[in-house]
Amino acid sequence: TESIINHDEL
Amino acid sequence: NIFRAAGDLSHLISILILLNTIQKSRSIAGISLKTQILYVLVFLTRYLDLTYRYVSIYNTLMKLFFISSSIYIVYLMIYKFKNTETEQIDTFPIEYLIGGSFILSLIFNYKFQFGEILWSFSLWLESVAILPQLFMLQRTGEARTLTTHYIFALGAYRTLYIPNWIFRWISEGRVDYLAIFTGIVQTIIYSDFFYIYYHRVLKGFKFELP
């Protein structure tokens, strides 16, 4: 499942 | 971008300062175990997404580093350099922070889904995780310079993320409201500390609360 915001930060 | 890189670097440095301080002085005096336990929770709930979400090798390595180093620090504090004196002044009721963050994560998330709730929980919890440490500083009234450098570097990480979010909003149109709001809360919690740090530590005075 894709999240609405792409969590690409730390 | 430069803000995010500087933020991550500062996050990394904060952990290295803490580890170095503990190893060299062979003591955990003045360091809040409760704050460190909260960080284990923060990193586990936010970064376990590395098992199902791949971003980049950099992202994965950093996540692994933060999870393992935070667990290692708690291990050192509990088993290797146990300090009952410090524990006695480490009395902040963290169950409220955990409970409050959990409730907020149920209300505010991008999707009512396990992974998203965990992510939101970690953001809320991180924003307040330093409170037991600041509370301890307030009780003792002073701290070792290295401990203040550690707290400063840790606070700088999320503060530097704020211009990063503005930059990404302008350049990519990307806005992560949850991260931004909790990041601002976290920076406000640190603001008093930043002020004293700037006025005393950077000018070569001992860290003493007025």
Side-chain angles (χ1 to χ4, degrees), chain B residues 143-170:
Chain B
R144 288 186 297 176
T145 311
L146 274 172
T147 310
T148 63
H149 290 332
Y150 157 69
I151 301 171
F152 176 80
L154 193 60
Y157 143 65
R158 220 56 182 170
T159 307
L160 282 162
Y161 258 49
I162 295 174
N164 153 60
W165 291 320
I166 297 170
F167 182 86
R168 294 192 74 180
W169 174 51
I170 295 166

Side-chain angles (χ1 to χ4, degrees), chain B residues 2-17:
Chain B
I2 183 91
F3 303 111
R4 192 169 160 195
D8 287 350
L9 188 68
S10 150
H11 195 185
L12 199 66
I13 289 172
S14 75
I15 309 274
L16 295 178
I17 292 174

Side-chain angles (χ1 to χ4, degrees), chain B residues 83-91 136 139:
Chain B
N83 185 327
T84 32
E85 237 172 89
T86 297
E87 264 170 48
Q88 273 165 6
I89 50 169
D90 194 11
T91 52
M136 185 187 270
R139 285 192 70 172

